[in-house]
mmCIF file of all heavy atoms in Angstrom:
data_model
loop_
_atom_site.group_PDB
_atom_site.id
_atom_site.type_symbol
_atom_site.label_atom_id
_atom_site.label_comp_id
_atom_site.label_asym_id
_atom_site.label_seq_id
_atom_site.Cartn_x
_atom_site.Cartn_y
_atom_site.Cartn_z
ATOM 1 N N GLN E 89 168.072 42.209 -24.402
ATOM 2 C CA GLN E 89 169.229 42.701 -23.664
ATOM 3 C C GLN E 89 170.091 43.576 -24.570
ATOM 4 O O GLN E 89 170.006 43.473 -25.789
ATOM 5 C CB GLN E 89 170.074 41.510 -23.181
ATOM 6 C CG GLN E 89 169.387 40.725 -22.103
ATOM 7 C CD GLN E 89 170.288 39.609 -21.595
ATOM 8 O OE1 GLN E 89 171.488 39.646 -21.789
ATOM 9 N NE2 GLN E 89 169.698 38.635 -20.949
ATOM 10 N N PRO E 90 170.942 44.422 -23.971
ATOM 11 C CA PRO E 90 171.825 45.233 -24.814
ATOM 12 C C PRO E 90 172.749 44.337 -25.637
ATOM 13 O O PRO E 90 173.304 43.366 -25.119
ATOM 14 C CB PRO E 90 172.643 46.045 -23.800
ATOM 15 C CG PRO E 90 171.884 45.981 -22.526
ATOM 16 C CD PRO E 90 171.103 44.716 -22.544
ATOM 17 N N VAL E 91 172.875 44.666 -26.932
ATOM 18 C CA VAL E 91 173.712 43.865 -27.825
ATOM 19 C C VAL E 91 175.165 43.886 -27.354
ATOM 20 O O VAL E 91 175.873 42.873 -27.423
ATOM 21 C CB VAL E 91 173.601 44.405 -29.266
ATOM 22 C CG1 VAL E 91 174.600 43.729 -30.182
ATOM 23 C CG2 VAL E 91 172.199 44.206 -29.775
ATOM 24 N N PHE E 92 175.582 45.049 -26.855
ATOM 25 C CA PHE E 92 176.954 45.183 -26.394
ATOM 26 C C PHE E 92 177.284 44.119 -25.349
ATOM 27 O O PHE E 92 178.330 43.475 -25.382
ATOM 28 C CB PHE E 92 177.158 46.590 -25.813
ATOM 29 C CG PHE E 92 178.589 46.956 -25.632
ATOM 30 C CD1 PHE E 92 179.344 47.397 -26.707
ATOM 31 C CD2 PHE E 92 179.197 46.869 -24.392
ATOM 32 C CE1 PHE E 92 180.671 47.739 -26.558
ATOM 33 C CE2 PHE E 92 180.524 47.203 -24.228
ATOM 34 C CZ PHE E 92 181.260 47.641 -25.318
ATOM 35 N N LYS E 93 176.345 43.918 -24.423
ATOM 36 C CA LYS E 93 176.560 42.949 -23.349
ATOM 37 C C LYS E 93 176.584 41.516 -23.923
ATOM 38 O O LYS E 93 177.455 40.711 -23.570
ATOM 39 C CB LYS E 93 175.412 43.101 -22.337
ATOM 40 C CG LYS E 93 175.562 42.234 -21.117
ATOM 41 C CD LYS E 93 174.426 42.514 -20.131
ATOM 42 C CE LYS E 93 174.126 41.274 -19.329
ATOM 43 N NZ LYS E 93 172.716 41.201 -18.929
ATOM 44 N N LEU E 94 175.637 41.221 -24.826
ATOM 45 C CA LEU E 94 175.579 39.873 -25.408
ATOM 46 C C LEU E 94 176.861 39.549 -26.160
ATOM 47 O O LEU E 94 177.403 38.452 -26.046
ATOM 48 C CB LEU E 94 174.382 39.770 -26.362
ATOM 49 C CG LEU E 94 173.005 39.772 -25.697
ATOM 50 C CD1 LEU E 94 171.917 39.961 -26.738
ATOM 51 C CD2 LEU E 94 172.792 38.464 -24.944
ATOM 52 N N ILE E 95 177.341 40.540 -26.920
ATOM 53 C CA ILE E 95 178.578 40.305 -27.674
ATOM 54 C C ILE E 95 179.758 40.167 -26.716
ATOM 55 O O ILE E 95 180.607 39.295 -26.869
ATOM 56 C CB ILE E 95 178.810 41.438 -28.693
ATOM 57 C CG1 ILE E 95 177.793 41.311 -29.819
ATOM 58 C CG2 ILE E 95 180.226 41.382 -29.262
ATOM 59 C CD1 ILE E 95 177.910 42.364 -30.881
ATOM 60 N N GLY E 96 179.767 41.014 -25.682
ATOM 61 C CA GLY E 96 180.840 40.946 -24.701
ATOM 62 C C GLY E 96 180.914 39.583 -24.022
ATOM 63 O O GLY E 96 181.991 39.077 -23.703
ATOM 64 N N GLN E 97 179.730 38.961 -23.831
ATOM 65 C CA GLN E 97 179.710 37.648 -23.189
ATOM 66 C C GLN E 97 180.233 36.549 -24.108
ATOM 67 O O GLN E 97 180.786 35.560 -23.650
ATOM 68 C CB GLN E 97 178.279 37.298 -22.772
ATOM 69 C CG GLN E 97 177.835 37.996 -21.511
ATOM 70 C CD GLN E 97 176.344 37.857 -21.300
ATOM 71 O OE1 GLN E 97 175.624 37.356 -22.162
ATOM 72 N NE2 GLN E 97 175.873 38.300 -20.150
ATOM 73 N N SER E 98 180.006 36.708 -25.415
ATOM 74 C CA SER E 98 180.336 35.597 -26.301
ATOM 75 C C SER E 98 181.687 35.761 -26.990
ATOM 76 O O SER E 98 182.279 34.776 -27.421
ATOM 77 C CB SER E 98 179.243 35.430 -27.354
ATOM 78 O OG SER E 98 178.974 36.666 -27.955
ATOM 79 N N LEU E 99 182.175 36.987 -27.073
ATOM 80 C CA LEU E 99 183.410 37.209 -27.813
ATOM 81 C C LEU E 99 184.631 36.469 -27.231
ATOM 82 O O LEU E 99 185.403 35.880 -27.997
ATOM 83 C CB LEU E 99 183.692 38.715 -27.920
ATOM 84 C CG LEU E 99 184.870 39.110 -28.812
ATOM 85 C CD1 LEU E 99 184.662 38.606 -30.233
ATOM 86 C CD2 LEU E 99 185.058 40.623 -28.817
ATOM 87 N N PRO E 100 184.831 36.453 -25.897
ATOM 88 C CA PRO E 100 186.013 35.755 -25.382
ATOM 89 C C PRO E 100 186.074 34.293 -25.824
ATOM 90 O O PRO E 100 187.148 33.792 -26.173
ATOM 91 C CB PRO E 100 185.856 35.856 -23.857
ATOM 92 C CG PRO E 100 185.037 37.051 -23.649
ATOM 93 C CD PRO E 100 184.091 37.126 -24.810
ATOM 94 N N ALA E 101 184.930 33.625 -25.854
ATOM 95 C CA ALA E 101 184.906 32.218 -26.279
ATOM 96 C C ALA E 101 185.426 32.091 -27.707
ATOM 97 O O ALA E 101 186.206 31.188 -28.027
ATOM 98 C CB ALA E 101 183.499 31.661 -26.180
ATOM 99 N N THR E 102 184.982 33.008 -28.573
ATOM 100 C CA THR E 102 185.400 32.955 -29.974
ATOM 101 C C THR E 102 186.892 33.255 -30.116
ATOM 102 O O THR E 102 187.592 32.602 -30.896
ATOM 103 C CB THR E 102 184.573 33.957 -30.808
ATOM 104 O OG1 THR E 102 183.207 33.622 -30.666
ATOM 105 C CG2 THR E 102 184.963 33.913 -32.263
ATOM 106 N N ILE E 103 187.359 34.239 -29.352
ATOM 107 C CA ILE E 103 188.787 34.573 -29.430
ATOM 108 C C ILE E 103 189.627 33.373 -28.993
ATOM 109 O O ILE E 103 190.606 33.004 -29.645
ATOM 110 C CB ILE E 103 189.094 35.812 -28.556
ATOM 111 C CG1 ILE E 103 188.419 37.043 -29.153
ATOM 112 C CG2 ILE E 103 190.601 36.025 -28.443
ATOM 113 C CD1 ILE E 103 188.595 38.298 -28.344
ATOM 114 N N GLU E 104 189.192 32.734 -27.888
ATOM 115 C CA GLU E 104 189.911 31.564 -27.397
ATOM 116 C C GLU E 104 189.960 30.465 -28.466
ATOM 117 O O GLU E 104 191.018 29.899 -28.754
ATOM 118 C CB GLU E 104 189.186 31.035 -26.154
ATOM 119 C CG GLU E 104 190.103 30.649 -25.030
ATOM 120 C CD GLU E 104 189.318 30.429 -23.736
ATOM 121 O OE1 GLU E 104 188.290 29.733 -23.764
ATOM 122 O OE2 GLU E 104 189.747 30.971 -22.724
ATOM 123 N N LEU E 105 188.793 30.211 -29.064
ATOM 124 C CA LEU E 105 188.706 29.159 -30.083
ATOM 125 C C LEU E 105 189.578 29.490 -31.288
ATOM 126 O O LEU E 105 190.346 28.650 -31.778
ATOM 127 C CB LEU E 105 187.239 28.999 -30.511
ATOM 128 C CG LEU E 105 186.952 27.959 -31.577
ATOM 129 C CD1 LEU E 105 187.367 26.591 -31.111
ATOM 130 C CD2 LEU E 105 185.469 27.963 -31.934
ATOM 131 N N ALA E 106 189.478 30.745 -31.765
ATOM 132 C CA ALA E 106 190.251 31.133 -32.946
ATOM 133 C C ALA E 106 191.753 31.063 -32.655
ATOM 134 O O ALA E 106 192.536 30.632 -33.501
ATOM 135 C CB ALA E 106 189.863 32.538 -33.396
ATOM 136 N N ALA E 107 192.144 31.463 -31.436
ATOM 137 C CA ALA E 107 193.562 31.432 -31.088
ATOM 138 C C ALA E 107 194.085 30.001 -31.103
ATOM 139 O O ALA E 107 195.153 29.724 -31.660
ATOM 140 C CB ALA E 107 193.777 32.058 -29.717
ATOM 141 N N PHE E 108 193.315 29.089 -30.532
ATOM 142 C CA PHE E 108 193.733 27.681 -30.551
ATOM 143 C C PHE E 108 193.766 27.145 -31.978
ATOM 144 O O PHE E 108 194.669 26.396 -32.347
ATOM 145 C CB PHE E 108 192.806 26.831 -29.685
ATOM 146 C CG PHE E 108 193.324 26.639 -28.305
ATOM 147 C CD1 PHE E 108 193.269 27.676 -27.396
ATOM 148 C CD2 PHE E 108 193.906 25.435 -27.919
ATOM 149 C CE1 PHE E 108 193.766 27.531 -26.117
ATOM 150 C CE2 PHE E 108 194.408 25.290 -26.649
ATOM 151 C CZ PHE E 108 194.346 26.332 -25.742
ATOM 152 N N GLY E 109 192.762 27.543 -32.775
ATOM 153 C CA GLY E 109 192.734 27.115 -34.168
ATOM 154 C C GLY E 109 193.988 27.571 -34.902
ATOM 155 O O GLY E 109 194.624 26.799 -35.619
ATOM 156 N N ALA E 110 194.351 28.848 -34.693
ATOM 157 C CA ALA E 110 195.529 29.397 -35.363
ATOM 158 C C ALA E 110 196.795 28.685 -34.888
ATOM 159 O O ALA E 110 197.687 28.378 -35.677
ATOM 160 C CB ALA E 110 195.625 30.894 -35.095
ATOM 161 N N LEU E 111 196.828 28.397 -33.602
ATOM 162 C CA LEU E 111 197.976 27.691 -33.037
ATOM 163 C C LEU E 111 198.131 26.305 -33.671
ATOM 164 O O LEU E 111 199.210 25.925 -34.128
ATOM 165 C CB LEU E 111 197.782 27.560 -31.523
ATOM 166 C CG LEU E 111 198.961 27.069 -30.712
ATOM 167 C CD1 LEU E 111 199.987 28.189 -30.631
ATOM 168 C CD2 LEU E 111 198.514 26.660 -29.312
ATOM 169 N N PHE E 112 197.026 25.571 -33.723
ATOM 170 C CA PHE E 112 197.058 24.231 -34.337
ATOM 171 C C PHE E 112 197.450 24.333 -35.807
ATOM 172 O O PHE E 112 198.228 23.528 -36.305
ATOM 173 C CB PHE E 112 195.684 23.547 -34.236
ATOM 174 C CG PHE E 112 195.368 23.012 -32.877
ATOM 175 C CD1 PHE E 112 196.226 23.210 -31.806
ATOM 176 C CD2 PHE E 112 194.199 22.292 -32.660
ATOM 177 C CE1 PHE E 112 195.923 22.729 -30.553
ATOM 178 C CE2 PHE E 112 193.899 21.794 -31.401
ATOM 179 C CZ PHE E 112 194.755 22.010 -30.352
ATOM 180 N N ALA E 113 196.868 25.329 -36.497
ATOM 181 C CA ALA E 113 197.147 25.468 -37.928
ATOM 182 C C ALA E 113 198.637 25.687 -38.158
ATOM 183 O O ALA E 113 199.232 25.106 -39.060
ATOM 184 C CB ALA E 113 196.345 26.624 -38.515
ATOM 185 N N THR E 114 199.255 26.522 -37.308
ATOM 186 C CA THR E 114 200.683 26.774 -37.450
ATOM 187 C C THR E 114 201.492 25.519 -37.115
ATOM 188 O O THR E 114 202.423 25.157 -37.835
ATOM 189 C CB THR E 114 201.122 27.917 -36.509
ATOM 190 O OG1 THR E 114 200.149 28.959 -36.596
ATOM 191 C CG2 THR E 114 202.468 28.450 -36.872
ATOM 192 N N ALA E 115 201.089 24.870 -36.020
ATOM 193 C CA ALA E 115 201.846 23.702 -35.555
ATOM 194 C C ALA E 115 201.789 22.558 -36.561
ATOM 195 O O ALA E 115 202.725 21.764 -36.660
ATOM 196 C CB ALA E 115 201.310 23.241 -34.206
ATOM 197 N N ILE E 116 200.688 22.449 -37.306
ATOM 198 C CA ILE E 116 200.597 21.383 -38.304
ATOM 199 C C ILE E 116 201.093 21.874 -39.662
ATOM 200 O O ILE E 116 201.761 21.146 -40.397
ATOM 201 C CB ILE E 116 199.149 20.869 -38.450
ATOM 202 C CG1 ILE E 116 198.589 20.485 -37.079
ATOM 203 C CG2 ILE E 116 199.074 19.677 -39.392
ATOM 204 C CD1 ILE E 116 197.097 20.203 -37.098
ATOM 205 N N GLY E 117 200.764 23.122 -39.994
ATOM 206 C CA GLY E 117 201.016 23.629 -41.345
ATOM 207 C C GLY E 117 202.484 23.819 -41.669
ATOM 208 O O GLY E 117 202.930 23.446 -42.757
ATOM 209 N N LEU E 118 203.254 24.401 -40.733
ATOM 210 C CA LEU E 118 204.655 24.683 -41.054
ATOM 211 C C LEU E 118 205.474 23.405 -41.241
ATOM 212 O O LEU E 118 206.140 23.254 -42.269
ATOM 213 C CB LEU E 118 205.272 25.605 -39.993
ATOM 214 C CG LEU E 118 204.693 27.031 -39.965
ATOM 215 C CD1 LEU E 118 205.444 27.891 -38.958
ATOM 216 C CD2 LEU E 118 204.738 27.672 -41.346
ATOM 217 N N PRO E 119 205.437 22.447 -40.290
ATOM 218 C CA PRO E 119 206.170 21.193 -40.549
ATOM 219 C C PRO E 119 205.653 20.503 -41.806
ATOM 220 O O PRO E 119 206.433 19.926 -42.569
ATOM 221 C CB PRO E 119 205.886 20.337 -39.310
ATOM 222 C CG PRO E 119 205.460 21.293 -38.260
ATOM 223 C CD PRO E 119 204.804 22.435 -38.962
ATOM 224 N N GLY E 120 204.347 20.593 -42.043
ATOM 225 C CA GLY E 120 203.760 19.986 -43.239
ATOM 226 C C GLY E 120 204.342 20.585 -44.505
ATOM 227 O O GLY E 120 204.629 19.875 -45.469
ATOM 228 N N GLY E 121 204.509 21.906 -44.494
ATOM 229 C CA GLY E 121 205.071 22.585 -45.663
ATOM 230 C C GLY E 121 206.494 22.147 -45.932
ATOM 231 O O GLY E 121 206.887 21.919 -47.079
ATOM 232 N N ILE E 122 207.275 22.014 -44.843
ATOM 233 C CA ILE E 122 208.667 21.569 -44.999
ATOM 234 C C ILE E 122 208.697 20.148 -45.547
ATOM 235 O O ILE E 122 209.473 19.818 -46.453
ATOM 236 C CB ILE E 122 209.418 21.658 -43.647
ATOM 237 C CG1 ILE E 122 209.474 23.112 -43.188
ATOM 238 C CG2 ILE E 122 210.818 21.082 -43.762
ATOM 239 C CD1 ILE E 122 210.063 23.306 -41.819
ATOM 240 N N LEU E 123 207.791 19.311 -45.031
ATOM 241 C CA LEU E 123 207.703 17.928 -45.511
ATOM 242 C C LEU E 123 207.392 17.900 -47.002
ATOM 243 O O LEU E 123 208.045 17.205 -47.792
ATOM 244 C CB LEU E 123 206.625 17.178 -44.728
ATOM 245 C CG LEU E 123 206.428 15.727 -45.135
ATOM 246 C CD1 LEU E 123 207.599 14.881 -44.650
ATOM 247 C CD2 LEU E 123 205.122 15.167 -44.584
ATOM 248 N N LEU E 124 206.389 18.714 -47.380
ATOM 249 C CA LEU E 124 205.983 18.788 -48.782
ATOM 250 C C LEU E 124 207.177 19.181 -49.652
ATOM 251 O O LEU E 124 207.391 18.650 -50.737
ATOM 252 C CB LEU E 124 204.871 19.841 -48.907
ATOM 253 C CG LEU E 124 203.744 19.593 -49.881
ATOM 254 C CD1 LEU E 124 203.081 18.275 -49.594
ATOM 255 C CD2 LEU E 124 202.719 20.708 -49.767
ATOM 256 N N PHE E 125 207.966 20.129 -49.127
ATOM 257 C CA PHE E 125 209.121 20.616 -49.867
ATOM 258 C C PHE E 125 210.198 19.534 -49.975
ATOM 259 O O PHE E 125 210.797 19.324 -51.027
ATOM 260 C CB PHE E 125 209.686 21.859 -49.171
ATOM 261 C CG PHE E 125 210.974 22.349 -49.748
ATOM 262 C CD1 PHE E 125 210.995 22.999 -50.969
ATOM 263 C CD2 PHE E 125 212.166 22.144 -49.087
ATOM 264 C CE1 PHE E 125 212.171 23.446 -51.510
ATOM 265 C CE2 PHE E 125 213.350 22.594 -49.624
ATOM 266 C CZ PHE E 125 213.360 23.243 -50.839
ATOM 267 N N ARG E 126 210.439 18.835 -48.859
ATOM 268 C CA ARG E 126 211.478 17.792 -48.861
ATOM 269 C C ARG E 126 211.148 16.675 -49.850
ATOM 270 O O ARG E 126 212.037 16.027 -50.368
ATOM 271 C CB ARG E 126 211.590 17.174 -47.461
ATOM 272 C CG ARG E 126 212.256 18.073 -46.459
ATOM 273 C CD ARG E 126 213.455 17.370 -45.827
ATOM 274 N NE ARG E 126 214.135 18.275 -44.926
ATOM 275 C CZ ARG E 126 213.823 18.383 -43.642
ATOM 276 N NH1 ARG E 126 212.863 17.639 -43.129
ATOM 277 N NH2 ARG E 126 214.468 19.225 -42.874
ATOM 278 N N LEU E 127 209.837 16.457 -50.051
ATOM 279 C CA LEU E 127 209.431 15.347 -50.915
ATOM 280 C C LEU E 127 209.487 15.707 -52.386
ATOM 281 O O LEU E 127 209.136 14.892 -53.226
ATOM 282 C CB LEU E 127 208.002 14.918 -50.562
ATOM 283 C CG LEU E 127 207.834 14.210 -49.220
ATOM 284 C CD1 LEU E 127 206.366 13.977 -48.948
ATOM 285 C CD2 LEU E 127 208.595 12.897 -49.219
ATOM 286 N N ARG E 128 209.917 16.928 -52.736
ATOM 287 C CA ARG E 128 209.868 17.348 -54.140
ATOM 288 C C ARG E 128 210.732 16.407 -54.992
ATOM 289 O O ARG E 128 211.823 16.008 -54.582
ATOM 290 C CB ARG E 128 210.335 18.788 -54.289
ATOM 291 C CG ARG E 128 211.813 18.989 -54.078
ATOM 292 C CD ARG E 128 212.141 20.465 -53.976
ATOM 293 N NE ARG E 128 213.578 20.684 -53.885
ATOM 294 C CZ ARG E 128 214.295 20.455 -52.794
ATOM 295 N NH1 ARG E 128 213.703 19.991 -51.706
ATOM 296 N NH2 ARG E 128 215.583 20.673 -52.786
ATOM 297 N N GLY E 129 210.161 16.054 -56.133
ATOM 298 C CA GLY E 129 210.901 15.192 -57.031
ATOM 299 C C GLY E 129 210.865 13.721 -56.676
ATOM 300 O O GLY E 129 211.316 12.887 -57.431
ATOM 301 N N ARG E 130 210.325 13.378 -55.497
ATOM 302 C CA ARG E 130 210.231 11.960 -55.146
ATOM 303 C C ARG E 130 208.902 11.407 -55.654
ATOM 304 O O ARG E 130 207.955 12.165 -55.885
ATOM 305 C CB ARG E 130 210.257 11.802 -53.621
ATOM 306 C CG ARG E 130 211.477 12.410 -52.987
ATOM 307 C CD ARG E 130 212.166 11.389 -52.106
ATOM 308 N NE ARG E 130 213.218 12.035 -51.343
ATOM 309 C CZ ARG E 130 213.197 12.127 -50.031
ATOM 310 N NH1 ARG E 130 212.174 11.622 -49.347
ATOM 311 N NH2 ARG E 130 214.175 12.700 -49.386
ATOM 312 N N PRO E 131 208.825 10.073 -55.788
ATOM 313 C CA PRO E 131 207.558 9.491 -56.262
ATOM 314 C C PRO E 131 206.394 9.811 -55.308
ATOM 315 O O PRO E 131 205.260 10.008 -55.740
ATOM 316 C CB PRO E 131 207.827 7.984 -56.302
ATOM 317 C CG PRO E 131 209.258 7.779 -55.969
ATOM 318 C CD PRO E 131 209.889 9.077 -55.626
ATOM 319 N N SER E 132 206.695 9.898 -54.005
ATOM 320 C CA SER E 132 205.604 10.117 -53.059
ATOM 321 C C SER E 132 205.052 11.540 -53.153
ATOM 322 O O SER E 132 204.007 11.837 -52.588
ATOM 323 C CB SER E 132 206.083 9.847 -51.640
ATOM 324 O OG SER E 132 207.330 10.464 -51.425
ATOM 325 N N GLU E 133 205.759 12.437 -53.905
ATOM 326 C CA GLU E 133 205.289 13.815 -53.987
ATOM 327 C C GLU E 133 203.885 13.887 -54.568
ATOM 328 O O GLU E 133 203.034 14.620 -54.073
ATOM 329 C CB GLU E 133 206.245 14.646 -54.852
ATOM 330 C CG GLU E 133 205.892 16.121 -54.810
ATOM 331 C CD GLU E 133 206.569 16.936 -55.900
ATOM 332 O OE1 GLU E 133 207.094 16.331 -56.850
ATOM 333 O OE2 GLU E 133 206.559 18.157 -55.793
#
Side-chain angles (χ1 to χ4, degrees):
Chain E
Q89 290 183 19
V91 172
F92 195 80
K93 184 177 151 210
L94 290 168
I95 289 180
Q97 282 168 353
S98 50
L99 187 59
T102 302
I103 293 177
E104 223 167 47
L105 179 60
F108 265 74
L111 190 73
F112 284 4
T114 316
I116 307 170
L118 293 184
I122 297 174
L123 180 73
L124 217 56
F125 173 74
R126 287 236 177 90
L127 289 174
R128 71 191 185 285
R130 303 233 189 116
S132 46
E133 188 194 14

